[in-house]
Amino acid sequence: MSLISDFSHTSRSSKRKVPTAAGILRARIAEQGLVHVMAAHSPLSAILVEEAGFDGIWASGFELSALYGLPDVSLVSMTQHLDMVRAMAEQSSLPIVADIDTGFGNAVNVIHAVRQYERAGAAAVVIEDKTFPKVTSLAPEGRQELVRIEEFVGKIRAAIASRRNPDFLVIARTEALIAGSGEPEALMRAAAYEEAGADMILIHSKQDTPDEVESFLNGWSGRAPIVIVPTTYPQMNEQRIRALSKIGMVIYGNHAIRATVTAMKDVFVRVRKDGGIHHVNRDLVSVEEIFRLQRMDRVRDDEKKFLT
Ligand code: SPV
Ligand code: MG
């Protein structure tokens, strides 16, 4: 038997239809009507998102920027974000929704980005219609400039044309409400992006009530399901979202990094105040729990099997 034919079992199995993360995400949206996607900024936080029972991971640009101690203003490079997406995909089987900001440039850059993110294991990309470099959406008085509709339509068309897996989701995000351009502009842009092939439309708002988003939803007559990020209007819980019926995905945009900062601040302050770790120790997860998350059990098994 030749070396090549020895590989036949591999090629046979690769022909079997293994569901992709993108296919799984699409199926969940279709079956459940609504999927819950939680932010993560590291493979460890991605593991915790999966263990908590979410449907997907939001590879948030805001969270990764914060992890580097940087503002979310297009300073983190595509390579840095991509490396994190790849590392998350290695540790979690949940579909990853990659926040690719403005797509790192024009439509040509979007083509490159979509190929890279798909290859890195993402199930979806979200591209927003702001100018590069962008300013984070929730910053008070942040500079919020939109690109021309035609330019963004070109970017969406480029993204659709460059995905290899037809299940890979291209989510168009309009920042029209964030930029203060008003609901008619937001609806016009959303319709143009759907027409260009976007699978879903993310409508972002930074109002402290859901009114603006609810009004947009009432005006939305497209077929593409809507994505929301209710950071500033947390009253919009699952019950309310389901009642609106047009929302297919809710993204909890920055709750992993905020939980991390909350917990670290608390512990660090207590250690200084108590003069040691003797009190906080009992309130922290054990080292064994970290071993579990790191899969130390596999190391032990592998040692038994292979260290001779
Ligand atoms: C992110 O998490 O990076 C987002 C959501 O894009 S927001 O920060 O609200 O713009
Ligand atoms: Mg972002």
Side-chain angles (χ1 to χ4, degrees), residues 57-72:
I57 295 163
W58 171 236
S60 160
F62 177 81
E63 291 221 349
L64 192 58
S65 302
L67 190 73
Y68 279 101
L70 292 171
D72 182 18

Side-chain angles (χ1 to χ4, degrees), residues 1-2 21 96-97 100 139 172 204 208 263 278 305:
M1 192 183 278
S2 74
I96 297 174
V97 180
I100 66 167
H204 205 10
D208 56 9
H278 48 289
K305 269 194 246 162

Side-chain angles (χ1 to χ4, degrees), residues 123-135:
V125 286
V126 171
I127 315 175
E128 64 194 61
D129 58 0
K130 289 208 301 229
T131 54
F132 176 90
K134 61 73 150 309
V135 171

Side-chain angles (χ1 to χ4, degrees), residues 58 60-63 72 99 101 128 134 136-138 173 175 204 229 231 253-254:
W58 171 236
S60 160
F62 177 81
E63 291 221 349
D72 182 18
D99 173 12
D101 287 355
E128 64 194 61
K134 61 73 150 309
T136 191
S137 306
L138 303 183
R173 162 171 167 175
E175 294 277 291
H204 205 10
V229 189
T231 309
N254 52 30

Side-chain angles (χ1 to χ4, degrees), residues 74-282:
S74 300
L75 299 179
V76 169
S77 71
M78 182 173 101
T79 306
Q80 285 173 301
H81 190 251
L82 203 52
D83 280 348
M84 189 53 79
V85 167
R86 206 173 284 121
M88 286 182 190
E90 273 171 25
Q91 299 305 334
S92 168
S93 58
L94 275 190
I96 297 174
V97 180
D99 173 12
I100 66 167
D101 287 355
T102 60
F104 309 101
N106 64 19
V108 174
N109 301 72
V110 167
I111 292 170
H112 180 63
V114 166
R115 288 187 181 147
Q116 294 288 315
Y117 277 86
E118 199 178 350
R119 208 170 280 145
V125 286
V126 171
I127 315 175
E128 64 194 61
D129 58 0
K130 289 208 301 229
T131 54
F132 176 90
K134 61 73 150 309
V135 171
T136 191
S137 306
L138 303 183
E141 290 161 34
R143 178 185 52 80
Q144 304 295 341
E145 294 162 357
L146 304 181
V147 292
R148 288 176 302 107
I149 293 193
E150 297 74 16
E151 183 179 340
F152 198 69
V153 161
K155 285 179 159 190
I156 295 300
R157 288 181 40 239
I160 299 289
S162 30
R163 66 181 169 196
R164 288 194 167 83
N165 176 0
D167 283 337
F168 185 83
L169 287 129
V170 174
I171 304 175
R173 162 171 167 175
T174 182
E175 294 277 291
L177 300 179
I178 294 282
S181 304
E183 186 180 307
E185 177 77 16
L187 286 167
M188 184 172 63
R189 283 179 174 261
Y193 305 160
E194 182 187 51
E195 175 71 23
D199 298 293
M200 300 179 93
I201 302 291
L202 191 157
I203 180 72
H204 205 10
S205 164
K206 60 177 172 194
Q207 284 201 349
D208 56 9
T209 70
D211 300 356
E212 190 177 54
V213 165
E214 282 179 345
S215 175
F216 172 91
L217 286 162
N218 287 334
W220 176 241
S221 55
R223 285 180 331 279
I226 300 297
V227 182
I228 62 163
V229 189
T231 309
T232 61
Y233 50 100
Q235 316 84 307
M236 190 85 135
N237 57 16
E238 180 171 357
Q239 197 183 7
R240 242 173 121 162
I241 293 171
R242 284 201 183 274
L244 290 162
S245 81
K246 294 175 188 171
I247 300 171
M249 181 185 293
V250 55
I251 293 175
Y252 304 109
N254 52 30
H255 297 77
I257 199 81
R258 286 167 65 198
T260 303
V261 171
T262 305
M264 282 201 278
K265 273 188 165 183
D266 175 59
V267 169
F268 296 171
V269 166
R270 282 174 64 197
V271 172
R272 292 297 289 149
K273 191 162 117 306
D274 296 345
I277 53 175
H278 48 289
H279 284 318
V280 291
N281 208 36
R282 59 173 174 261

